[in-house]
Amino acid sequence: METASQLLQAFEKYLSQLHFPQQPQNLYAPIRYSLQVGGKRIRPLACILAAQLYSDEVAEVFPVAAAYEVFHNFTLLHDDLMDDSDVRRNMPSVPKKFGINAAILSGDRMLIAAYELLSVCNASVLPELLIIFNRTAAQVCEGQQMDMDFENSTTISLRDYVEMIRLKTAVLLAACLESGALVAGDTQNIGKSLYEMGVALGVGFQLQDDYLDCYGNEQFGKPIGKDIVNGKKTYLYLHCLANLTEKDRIDFLDIYQNNAIAEAEKIEKILAYFQKTDTQAATWKIAESYFKQAENILQDNINIAYIRKEPLSQLIKQLQQRSV
């Protein structure tokens, strides 16, 4: 068995060798840029580690892992368009660097490229693979629409929010795990358990992301309080709002929705309300519960030798312990 680091290195080499034509330059340059600026590669790694549950020969799953990574980056291009984001991964976003039209069309081409990558897979698993992929792509769109709808809604519950991040974020990671096992043969029929594990891990990851936006480690250069400054309705916002008195709720909303207030002042005041409602501890606790759920599914529901499961267990721990 290879380590996660070795597998990622091999996958990066595969990804770097994907062929995109030189012309039209304005179509393909944004695609190469998007894939080259990196990212954590969590989704392709999960796909590969799921395949490694069955075999050390995991090269056959690289096209599937790449398809999901290309699809993920396609969603980021369009996400940056909808959010009017100038920065992605500490680099200029594709819309900022290449323009809005390029981001739209290059994103569309990336979606096509994802299907091209899937099409080289073994014909015996391709129909089921496409069912998983298509279902996931539709759910990601549903989650994104819910996220946008939440911007103008005043009746969002914590349950609504968790469902939104399940669709927008978690199902993609879950599909990577299920697809990796499928391509590797899935002789133990563990795909559904891997999917459930991926959903729990993805929800925990996003809740942790909300938490780290306010309480992360600034030494890594990630600005603290960006969600607060942008008035984003995160789990912390919703938990705090649900636990305030009526008077405090009015004051809290006045501050949170005020774009004229100085950023540092706004962050300081909102964090004070978070402290008042024990929001920091509550968010950390629920994120931890989802990571624990993912680990429990891996250990209790997936009847495969521990040595084969250990890399996935380590992935859960690494994501759980991140500080940015």
Side-chain angles (χ1 to χ4, degrees):
M1 287 177 60
E2 292 186 278
T3 66
S5 178
Q6 290 170 327
L7 291 170
L8 264 183
Q9 186 176 5
F11 175 74
E12 287 287 0
K13 181 178 180 181
Y14 174 86
L15 193 66
S16 70
Q17 293 173 346
L18 292 182
H19 175 69
F20 291 103
Q22 292 298 317
Q23 299 297 332
Q25 182 177 353
N26 289 334
L27 176 64
Y28 291 109
I31 296 175
R32 283 188 285 270
Y33 174 80
S34 176
L35 295 175
Q36 287 168 0
V37 294
K40 298 179 179 69
R41 307 292 196 215
I42 296 167
R43 293 153 193 84
L45 178 59
C47 185
I48 297 164
L49 292 179
Q52 194 175 237
L53 289 170
Y54 290 111
S55 172
D56 292 340
E57 303 299 323
V58 293
E60 67 175 343
V61 82
F62 280 11
V64 182
Y68 278 107
E69 182 66 2
V70 170
F71 174 81
H72 171 59
N73 279 273
F74 144 69
T75 67
L76 297 183
L77 261 65
H78 285 191
D79 194 46
D80 286 342
L81 281 168
M82 287 180 273
D83 291 344
D84 196 24
S85 298
D86 290 340
V87 177
R88 169 70 65 179
R89 296 165 179 157
N90 295 319
M91 299 283 287
S93 67
V94 168
K96 179 69 174 179
K97 184 175 178 66
F98 297 95
I100 292 174
N101 290 342
I104 294 171
L105 197 57
S106 296
D108 292 346
R109 182 63 183 89
M110 291 175 81
L111 178 59
I112 297 167
Y115 280 105
E116 290 171 341
L117 286 160
L118 291 175
S119 70
V120 305
C121 295
N122 191 306
S124 63
V125 299
L126 185 56
E128 188 172 354
L129 197 60
L130 287 171
I131 288 172
I132 296 169
F133 185 85
N134 290 337
R135 178 192 68 212
T136 303
Q139 289 175 326
V140 170
C141 292
E142 292 165 2
Q144 177 66 20
Q145 185 61 57
M146 288 177 67
D147 192 19
M148 291 189 295
D149 291 345
F150 285 177
E151 293 179 9
N152 300 314
S153 176
T154 57
T155 59
I156 310 163
S157 68
L158 290 169
R159 180 174 293 186
D160 291 335
Y161 182 76
V162 171
E163 174 61 8
M164 183 274 289
I165 61 177
R166 182 187 75 84
L167 291 169
K168 183 178 177 180
T169 301
V171 297
L172 187 55
L173 180 59
C176 289
L177 287 160
E178 184 179 11
S179 298
L182 174 65
V183 173
D186 196 10
T187 56
Q188 300 279 353
N189 196 28
I190 61 170
K192 298 306 177 187
S193 291
L194 282 170
Y195 186 89
E196 292 172 6
M197 185 193 96
V199 168
L201 183 57
V203 171
F205 181 88
Q206 185 56 55
L207 290 170
Q208 184 193 60
D209 214 51
D210 289 356
Y211 176 93
L212 291 174
D213 184 81
C214 293
Y215 302 105
N217 198 330
E218 287 186 293
Q219 73 177 9
F220 292 95
K222 186 174 182 178
I224 296 299
K226 181 181 176 183
D227 287 342
I228 294 173
V229 171
N230 293 333
K232 189 172 176 62
K233 294 171 182 173
T234 65
Y235 189 91
L236 290 91
Y237 164 90
L238 293 168
H239 178 275
C240 183
L241 194 62
N243 289 278
L244 288 170
T245 64
E246 184 60 32
K247 178 183 181 305
D248 282 346
R249 188 179 294 116
I250 293 170
D251 292 341
F252 172 82
L253 288 172
D254 284 343
I255 298 168
Y256 208 87
Q257 297 167 354
N258 188 346
N259 294 325
I261 188 171
E263 291 186 3
E265 181 184 356
K266 183 176 184 180
I267 293 168
E268 181 181 1
K269 289 183 175 180
I270 294 300
L271 288 180
Y273 278 110
F274 286 174
Q275 182 176 5
K276 188 173 186 178
T277 54
D278 204 25
T279 290
Q280 179 180 5
T283 306
W284 180 261
K285 182 178 180 180
I286 191 170
E288 289 285 291
S289 73
Y290 278 101
F291 284 114
K292 184 177 181 181
Q293 181 183 342
E295 179 67 20
N296 288 343
I297 293 171
L298 176 63
Q299 301 305 337
D300 299 340
N301 297 3
I302 297 174
N303 188 25
I304 285 181
Y306 178 78
I307 192 172
R308 289 282 174 187
K309 296 192 290 186
E310 178 61 13
L312 278 172
S313 182
Q314 288 299 318
L315 177 63
I316 294 171
K317 290 182 176 65
Q318 288 167 14
L319 294 180
Q320 185 176 8
Q321 295 167 2
R322 72 193 177 109
S323 57
V324 290

